[in-house]
Amino acid sequence: MAAGRHRDAWMLFGAADRSTSVRLALASCLAVLGAALQGLAPLALKHLVDGFASAGAARRTLVFAALYLAILGCGRLFGQAQAYAFATADQRLQQRFSAASFVRLLHLPLRFHLERPAGSLVQTQALALQGIRLVITHATLTLLPIVIQALVMATVVVSLFDVKIWLVVGAAIAAYSGLFAIGMWRLDDPTRKALTGQVQASGFFADGLANVEGVKAAAAEARLGDRYRVLAVEGEERWRLCHARRFETGIGATLIFVTTLTGVLLLGTSALSAGRITVGDFVLLNAYLVQIVQPLEMAGFALRDLAQGAHGLAKWSEILRVPPEGGEGFAPAGGKAGFSASGRPAPSIRFERVCFAYEPGRPVLTDVDLDIPSGGVIAVVGPSGSGKSSLIRLVLRHYTPTSGRILVDGIPVEQIDPHTLRRGIALVTQDLVLFNDTLRQNLMFARPEASQAALAAALSAAQLDDLVARLPHGLETPVGERGLKLSGGEKQRVSIARAILQDASVLILDEATSALDAETERMVAAPLVRSRQGRTTLIITHRLALAAHADAILLLRDGRVIERGAHGALLAAGGSYAQLWRRQARDEMIHPDLPGLSGSAAGAEWSARSVSATGAAMGAPTRAPPRR
């Protein structure tokens, strides 16, 4: 627990480097000097007023007038310098904290992000930034100067006024303390609910914008707008309650101020009439009363703001307690654990009786055994929901198996640094998310040091040359938010080009051609197959023509492997895979006139025809099958 709090403190305030600390210290010193001058200014004013009331004190009056003006002028000058020092320190601290927070969020596990809208994380960080600003502002510019100012005033006037006056002031201090303590207690729950609602509304806001294409396709703009309006109204009501509680506290503070001022004026007037104090003392008393009451109110409101800031920091602190991938101070295994994309043989990947469930009681994978030798190719096919994509998430260490283990080159995947692991894997998915940047930057995202020649080769292999030629600015054309300026097929070809450019030692194809038409699929299948040479390849697909290139095929159903073997052997067996092939051949017109399987000879014939079909897909000349 202590270590966790220490880590939180470092993340919250450790972003302050030497420059930030110096500027904050300078702002604190200037604030202290300004507070001391504010405490001394009424004393100079007292002597100035007494000088006016005394005959023949013109010279003394002039001195104190000059002193009074100098104190006020220096106080304002210190205030301007303090504002500059604090503002520059605050901006530097904000940007360093934001950068550190961004990196921290990126290092959190994928399951963490899948369970939270990105917009809510952005809002939570914004609340944390606001909390830091409130804490530092009041600690530097409010609470410390108030203490200094109070000490100066107490030192000056303790011997000048009757004890009755300070009993009144002491009662006012006690009343203020009780009022603000009750006010903070009454604000605690409403503030927490208001901030929670603000995070939820921001998450919904960002989610709607991230999926704007789907929203427009469903003509759901008004419906989502109404849902967000409901969240906004709920947030308004919650904040209205907070402001009402603050208003009530403010009314109480005003009543205490008026009561205290009335008592002090009565006592001061009585003392002045009795000759116990001078006119200057009376002016000093009233000036100090205003100065001491105002800081007390500021201190109370500062504590209230600090409570709000603490709630924002508490929400961010919950995120900071989520350990990053690999854990704190993770030390990867030695040897081959740090495999790279080139310069060594491709690693083997092995699943041993792997079971996995996202939630207890809902298994996704059950006793899965899978062995991909170094440089081998395995395809996994099966219906939607059979657990195919979960295999990829387990290989990439986004999740941990419920039981069983996964080995990479004989080393348990949990012992491999996740970043080293993923740098050695090129992933081609059907749902590639692109950054709102140029096409070039998106292509080189996984390998920014790639040469222009390598980039050109990847573009050609993925059949992107025509697209680049048509774009108004070629590779420098922005692709839009999440790549919305590109079609689904174009985004998938970008994913393929990126994987080829990455030149990793492991290639994973997750429905890599699902968004491509038949002709484009035939054109990009060849570079995909060529790119697998010398690499360990895992193919996840429902396109059996692509799976046919694998050394072995696994058929998943309900998270279990029900069939495995080479393409030809599975066809000859006449089982579920063969039925799936026949159905897909009929639906996609691969070989509409293929006969049903009746034995090994028919299976061999079908296998031979499938090879012929594969050759056509790879660009070999062939005669199109007749249509029925």
Side-chain angles (χ1 to χ4, degrees):
M1 181 66 70
R5 291 175 180 172
H6 181 270
R7 182 176 63 249
D8 295 347
W10 185 92
M11 280 296 296
L12 295 175
F13 303 108
D17 59 355
R18 181 179 179 84
S19 174
T20 306
S21 301
V22 169
R23 295 176 190 181
L24 286 176
L26 177 60
S28 299
C29 292
L30 291 171
V32 167
L33 289 175
L37 290 177
Q38 286 182 2
L40 293 174
L43 183 61
L45 180 62
K46 162 192 156 45
H47 290 290
L48 179 61
V49 172
D50 286 341
F52 285 133
S54 301
R59 189 172 188 179
R60 180 168 172 266
T61 302
L62 185 61
V63 170
F64 280 107
L67 180 61
Y68 180 63
L69 292 174
I71 290 175
L72 292 179
C74 289
R76 295 185 65 85
L77 181 62
F78 288 161
Q80 294 297 323
Q82 161 232 299
Y84 172 77
F86 180 82
T88 55
D90 176 63
Q91 287 298 318
R92 186 172 180 85
L93 182 61
Q94 296 279 322
Q95 64 90 5
R96 286 177 62 84
F97 176 79
S98 297
S101 302
F102 182 64
V103 173
R104 176 78 180 200
L105 284 173
L106 291 179
H107 279 79
L108 294 181
L110 177 64
R111 60 181 176 274
F112 170 87
H113 293 279
L114 294 178
E115 295 171 355
R116 293 167 177 82
S120 67
L121 294 178
V122 173
Q123 182 61 36
T124 301
Q125 190 213 21
L127 293 176
L129 290 172
Q130 181 184 17
I132 290 177
R133 181 178 288 114
L134 288 173
V135 170
I136 296 179
T137 299
H138 290 305
T140 304
L141 308 182
T142 304
L143 298 179
L144 181 60
I146 287 173
V147 172
I148 299 301
Q149 188 174 344
L151 289 175
V152 171
M153 288 189 294
T155 302
V156 171
V157 303
V158 69
S159 60
L160 297 182
F161 299 104
D162 193 288
V163 68
K164 295 179 181 179
I165 294 177
W166 288 106
L167 286 176
V168 173
V169 175
I173 294 175
Y176 274 116
S177 300
L179 174 68
F180 286 117
I182 295 174
M184 289 175 61
W185 175 73
R186 297 182 70 227
L187 263 175
D188 184 76
D189 187 61
T191 301
R192 181 167 49 249
K193 291 180 178 178
L195 293 177
T196 300
Q198 188 173 335
V199 169
Q200 293 174 345
S202 297
F204 185 84
F205 185 94
D207 197 33
L209 293 181
N211 297 281
V212 65
E213 187 176 19
V215 173
K216 288 185 170 296
E221 295 95 335
R223 186 165 69 252
L224 261 69
D226 291 340
R227 288 179 60 187
Y228 181 77
R229 193 173 293 110
V230 170
L231 293 174
V233 169
E234 291 177 354
E236 179 188 1
E237 292 298 326
R238 291 172 177 174
W239 280 115
R240 182 180 299 169
L241 177 59
C242 293
H243 294 311
R245 296 284 172 85
R246 293 180 177 181
F247 177 65
E248 293 166 3
T249 303
I251 292 177
T254 301
L255 292 176
I256 294 173
F257 171 73
V258 171
T259 302
T260 304
L261 183 61
T262 302
V264 170
L265 286 177
L266 290 174
L267 293 174
T269 302
S270 174
L272 180 63
S273 300
R276 294 193 301 270
I277 62 174
T278 65
V279 175
D281 291 332
F282 185 80
V283 172
L284 175 66
L285 175 62
N286 284 275
Y288 271 177
L289 179 64
V290 173
Q291 282 191 224
I292 198 170
V293 168
Q294 183 180 6
L296 283 173
E297 292 184 351
M298 289 177 59
F301 294 131
L303 291 175
R304 181 196 64 194
D305 291 341
L306 287 174
Q308 177 178 332
H311 284 303
L313 292 175
K315 289 185 174 295
W316 188 251
S317 182
E318 293 174 4
I319 295 176
L320 295 180
R321 289 191 176 93
V322 178
E325 288 183 306
E328 302 289 351
F330 178 82
K336 295 183 179 180
F339 72 89
S340 59
S342 59
R344 67 185 313 143
S348 61
I349 300 176
R350 182 179 179 84
F351 281 60
E352 294 182 350
R353 300 186 64 82
V354 169
C355 298
F356 174 68
Y358 291 102
E359 299 176 359
R362 298 182 60 185
V364 177
L365 297 173
T366 304
D367 292 333
V368 172
D369 289 315
L370 186 153
D371 190 5
I372 314 178
S374 175
V377 182
I378 293 293
V380 180
V381 299
S384 298
S386 60
K388 302 187 301 295
S389 296
S390 297
L391 295 174
I392 299 175
R393 289 178 172 176
L394 292 174
V395 171
L396 291 171
R397 281 201 60 190
H398 293 320
Y399 288 88
T400 302
T402 307
S403 63
R405 61 177 186 165
I406 302 173
L407 306 174
V408 176
D409 263 1
I411 299 175
V413 73
E414 292 81 6
Q415 298 180 19
I416 304 176
D417 174 40
H419 308 102
T420 303
L421 176 72
R422 293 165 193 163
R423 279 195 294 267
I425 298 176
L427 177 63
V428 182
T429 67
Q430 59 179 330
D431 297 318
L432 174 69
V433 176
L434 300 176
F435 296 97
N436 192 6
D437 205 334
T438 65
L439 180 59
R440 179 190 298 276
Q441 292 301 320
N442 277 285
L443 285 167
M444 302 185 70
F445 175 71
R447 190 184 168 197
E449 75 281 1
S451 65
Q452 184 63 35
L455 177 60
L459 290 172
S460 177
Q463 301 294 316
L464 279 172
D465 303 84
D466 292 342
L467 171 65
V468 174
R470 293 196 309 269
L471 293 175
H473 303 291
L475 288 172
E476 307 307 322
T477 303
V479 300
E481 186 76 20
R482 299 172 62 248
L484 290 179
K485 293 184 180 181
L486 302 178
S487 68
E490 289 168 344
K491 287 197 290 185
Q492 202 156 50
R493 278 183 281 163
V494 170
S495 180
I496 293 169
R498 181 189 288 177
I500 295 173
L501 186 64
Q502 187 176 345
D503 192 29
S505 57
V506 175
L507 175 65
I508 297 179
L509 308 177
D510 182 16
E511 301 291 0
T513 59
S514 61
L516 303 179
D517 58 79
E519 181 180 357
T520 305
E521 182 183 18
R522 287 196 297 271
M523 289 188 294
V524 301
L528 280 177
V529 174
R530 283 197 300 269
S531 67
R532 84 185 194 187
Q533 296 174 2
R535 291 173 176 81
T536 301
T537 304
L538 174 61
I539 301 174
I540 305 292
T541 183
H542 71 278
R543 300 280 183 92
L544 300 188
L546 183 60
H549 297 293
D551 302 326
I553 301 171
L554 275 68
L555 176 60
L556 276 183
R557 180 172 295 164
D558 297 328
R560 296 179 179 272
V561 179
I562 62 172
E563 288 185 16
R564 70 175 71 223
H567 174 71
L570 290 175
L571 291 181
S576 299
Y577 179 83
Q579 295 174 10
L580 186 62
W581 175 271
R582 183 185 297 110
R583 188 182 309 117
Q584 194 170 113
R586 181 180 62 250
D587 295 341
E588 298 186 7
M589 302 294 290
I590 297 176
H591 276 293
D593 56 345
L594 285 177
L597 290 179
S598 59
S600 60
E605 178 184 359
W606 197 347
S607 180
R609 291 193 179 189
S610 71
V611 172
S612 175
T614 299
M618 299 303 297
T622 183
R623 185 168 55 88
R627 291 183 177 270
R628 290 192 172 187

